[in-house]
Amino acid sequence: MRPKGSAEKLEARRRMAASLLAKGRGIREVARTIGAAPSSVKRWKDALEQGGKNALKSKPHTGRPSRLSPKQRQHLLQILQRGPRAAKMRTDQWTCRLIGRMIRRYFGVKYHPDHVSRILRGLGWKNQKTISPVKKTNRTERPGLRRVKQSRRHR
């Protein structure tokens, strides 16, 4: 799993490990110092020996390009901030499924609701559920429920 941090921060961490290794520190000691796995430090050491300092540089992330342009993402953010009613939806609360429909309507791009949540996180939005407090009542107080007498046989 990729550690958290920007590509620049992770590259700086690798460079720090390289400088500690150059000073004669051991792999496990360097790993503890910078907060990485010893196997990663060993891999960086091997890369350093093979390709020099350039081998520790960040590599571009490959993958499918986003179907929404940066301009469209900003427009999406503006629509979300105005609320569902302003986007001509029949509800007062956004859901991933609803946002997916809205993206398809406005931008002609279809996303699965699970992927919509990733897009929202990328825009700085958090997935929040509104939970209404439920009043706890005794079973006998709820309509439609009646108390069942326990027979002596099942004690």
Side-chain angles (χ1 to χ4, degrees):
M1 189 167 91
R2 184 176 188 272
K4 293 188 185 217
S6 67
E8 294 82 23
K9 285 183 182 179
L10 296 174
E11 184 178 327
R13 186 171 112 162
R14 290 190 295 271
R15 282 194 312 262
M16 179 189 280
S19 68
L20 291 172
L21 288 168
K23 291 177 184 175
R25 303 262 177 94
I27 290 175
R28 289 185 186 278
E29 183 183 356
V30 172
R32 275 192 305 273
T33 304
I34 65 169
S39 59
S40 295
V41 176
K42 171 78 168 103
R43 192 174 60 248
W44 300 336
K45 181 180 179 184
D46 293 344
L48 193 60
E49 290 169 356
Q50 298 264 325
K53 295 246 182 201
N54 287 334
L56 298 179
K57 288 196 174 202
S58 296
K59 294 169 184 69
H61 294 283
T62 59
R64 186 176 186 167
S66 176
R67 290 183 284 168
L68 287 178
S69 70
K71 187 176 179 180
Q72 288 174 323
R73 285 177 182 263
Q74 287 306 311
H75 187 206
L76 171 62
L77 187 59
Q78 291 170 355
I79 293 169
L80 293 174
Q81 288 170 341
R82 285 187 292 225
R85 293 283 183 183
K88 299 179 182 167
M89 299 292 175
R90 296 181 184 172
T91 182
D92 291 325
Q93 188 175 6
W94 286 119
T95 63
C96 288
R97 189 175 306 268
L98 188 65
I99 293 170
R101 279 193 231 138
M102 190 266 307
I103 290 173
R104 189 170 185 184
R105 181 190 308 165
Y106 279 76
F107 306 109
V109 177
K110 184 178 178 183
Y111 283 117
H112 189 274
D114 291 345
H115 190 70
V116 170
S117 67
R118 292 183 198 109
I119 293 170
L120 294 176
R121 275 196 308 273
L123 293 172
W125 279 54
K126 290 185 180 177
N127 207 6
Q128 296 178 341
K129 279 187 176 180
T130 54
I131 301 170
S132 58
V134 178
K135 180 184 170 191
K136 291 186 177 183
T137 58
N138 190 348
R139 296 189 121 222
T140 56
E141 294 174 11
R142 291 192 216 160
L145 292 178
R146 61 179 184 194
R147 192 171 185 169
V148 179
K149 289 186 179 181
Q150 198 174 22
S151 67
R152 289 182 175 223
R153 222 182 308 154
H154 295 292
R155 280 192 183 179

